[in-house]
Amino acid sequence: MNSSKNLLFLLFFIVWQLHAQQIEKEAPSGFDQARDGISHGKIDTINYASKTVGNHRKALVYTPPGFSKNEKYPVLYLLHGIGGDEKEWLKGGHPEIILDNLYADGKLAPMIVIMPNGRAMKDDSASGNIMAPDKVQAFATFEQDLLNDLIPYVENNYPVLTNRENRAIAGLSMGGGQSLNFGLGNLDKFAWVGGFSSAPNTKEPELLVPDPEKAKELLKVLWISCGDADGLLRFSSRTHEYLAENEVPHIYYLETGGHDFKVWKNGLYMFSQLLFKPVDESKFDQYSPLDITAVK
Ligand code: FER
């Protein structure tokens, strides 16, 4: 009797241990559904002066539940795609619901999320031919607007931490390309970088990470995710392959899906939980739901 009890206990212990070591690989159902009885963050619109564009530009700001001007917060810059503007994440992904739920479950470090318009030109609307060369160029010009206009505005008007370890950048598609280009190109400014389904604006790997040793030393988390049926997958896979060859730690996260908000919402859910916390690089290769060696 006693030995069968011991055996049962041992079994429970093993199952519990296995469970404790499991990484949550995907957002659970309901992660993007508004819940009753929890605290909510707040969305503001800001209008900042842009020397780069020569006008005032809009961005959305999510401050977390319990936000206090007496605290100081790290910042995530969250960027949209070619068909969107500063409201694309809000309309298509409802990040405020995903983040509120993560806070309610105690899974997120308090942070401010800035959703800018990444098309740095006078008419920054997603109207007309969104692929026109001047509009595509404006996604590259945004690097100057971000570094010289938006970040200083945020730091002068919100209670934020201003060192690289407290600044993250991530985005979807064109915004994923921007995040990789600007984040990896300005390692003195960003320690956390995420590209979701990154677009053809993503620099070639050798230009993106010309000094792998420096990237190795300075990056906290580099996240590259994509749906396995996304026509743009090669821009993520080629980056991953170069990083792997050069032994730059990163998370390459391949999931079932196309080029859409199902993938991007899951990307935000997964990536945001890693931010501004201690990093365990030994777990980086356990995140991907699909076998990263099986799909090219
Ligand atoms: C392209 C294909 C896709 C391209 C950009 C995209 C600039 C961007 C897609 C998105 O942001 O969703 O050839 O060229």
Side-chain angles (χ1 to χ4, degrees):
M1 183 60 197
N2 226 342
S3 71
S4 66
K5 247 189 189 164
N6 283 346
L7 196 64
L8 203 64
F9 177 79
L10 189 68
L11 262 171
F12 272 124
F13 183 77
I14 290 169
V15 169
W16 176 68
Q17 275 296 302
L18 283 172
H19 191 75
Q21 286 170 9
Q22 282 274 306
I23 283 177
E24 188 182 33
K25 287 175 172 248
E26 271 174 311
S29 69
F31 81 106
D32 55 353
Q33 301 300 309
R35 281 192 222 161
D36 289 332
I38 64 166
S39 301
H40 297 282
K42 193 166 160 277
I43 304 258
D44 295 324
T45 302
I46 55 172
N47 241 306
Y48 63 99
S50 169
K51 294 187 295 290
T52 304
V53 183
N55 63 358
H56 279 72
R57 310 197 64 234
K58 286 198 175 106
L60 302 187
V61 179
Y62 169 89
T63 48
F67 172 74
S68 160
K69 290 208 161 116
N70 301 321
E71 304 277 324
K72 284 206 182 283
Y73 296 86
V75 184
L76 164 63
Y77 291 85
L78 186 62
L79 311 181
H80 64 80
I82 202 153
D85 56 23
E86 72 279 2
K87 290 194 176 138
E88 184 180 22
W89 268 100
L90 188 71
K91 288 189 202 156
H94 285 288
E96 77 288 8
I97 296 178
I98 297 171
L99 300 172
D100 284 353
N101 289 343
L102 282 169
Y103 283 114
D105 292 342
K107 288 179 162 179
L108 213 53
M111 70 182 88
I112 293 176
V113 181
I114 310 284
M115 289 166 272
N117 182 314
R119 191 183 290 100
M121 63 194 292
K122 289 246 158 64
D123 176 6
D124 60 10
S125 65
S127 58
N129 176 11
I130 54 172
M131 292 282 184
D134 60 331
K135 293 194 191 248
V136 172
Q137 172 56 40
F139 278 84
T141 306
F142 181 65
E143 181 170 9
Q144 300 316 313
D145 180 273
L146 173 67
L147 297 178
N148 302 327
D149 303 313
L150 178 56
I151 290 177
Y153 178 92
V154 170
E155 294 182 349
N156 284 326
N157 290 279
Y158 284 86
V160 299
L161 296 158
T162 58
N163 55 344
R164 56 180 298 284
E165 288 86 2
N166 285 297
R167 205 179 287 118
I169 186 164
L172 69 90
S173 201
M174 280 299 270
Q178 286 176 310
S179 297
L180 298 178
N181 294 346
F182 308 164
L184 298 171
N186 297 278
L187 288 168
D188 58 326
K189 300 283 194 314
F190 301 96
W192 314 81
V193 178
F196 312 149
S197 321
S198 298
N201 63 330
T202 309
K203 288 183 183 167
E204 285 173 30
E206 292 75 8
L207 296 175
L208 198 55
V209 185
D211 186 349
E213 287 307 317
K214 191 173 162 203
K216 224 179 276 189
E217 180 199 335
L218 291 175
L219 281 168
K220 293 279 192 183
V221 170
L222 171 54
W223 168 279
I224 292 166
S225 62
C226 200
D228 64 342
D230 190 325
L232 302 180
L233 177 57
R234 69 186 181 282
F235 298 101
S236 293
S237 63
R238 76 175 186 193
T239 309
H240 153 66
E241 279 156 25
Y242 174 87
L243 293 168
E245 275 160 26
N246 289 280
E247 295 174 356
V248 179
H250 63 289
I251 297 174
Y252 184 43
Y253 182 99
L254 198 62
E255 63 190 290
T256 307
H259 196 74
D260 57 43
F261 260 108
K262 181 177 165 289
V263 168
W264 304 328
K265 290 198 298 185
N266 186 54
L268 177 64
Y269 176 90
M270 295 297 301
F271 179 68
S272 63
Q273 290 182 71
L274 299 170
L275 295 177
F276 313 122
K277 294 176 181 173
V279 177
D280 184 357
E281 283 179 6
S282 73
K283 293 212 166 92
F284 278 12
D285 62 1
Q286 295 172 32
Y287 282 93
S288 186
L290 296 180
D291 178 359
I292 60 171
T293 59
V295 184
K296 282 264 160 148

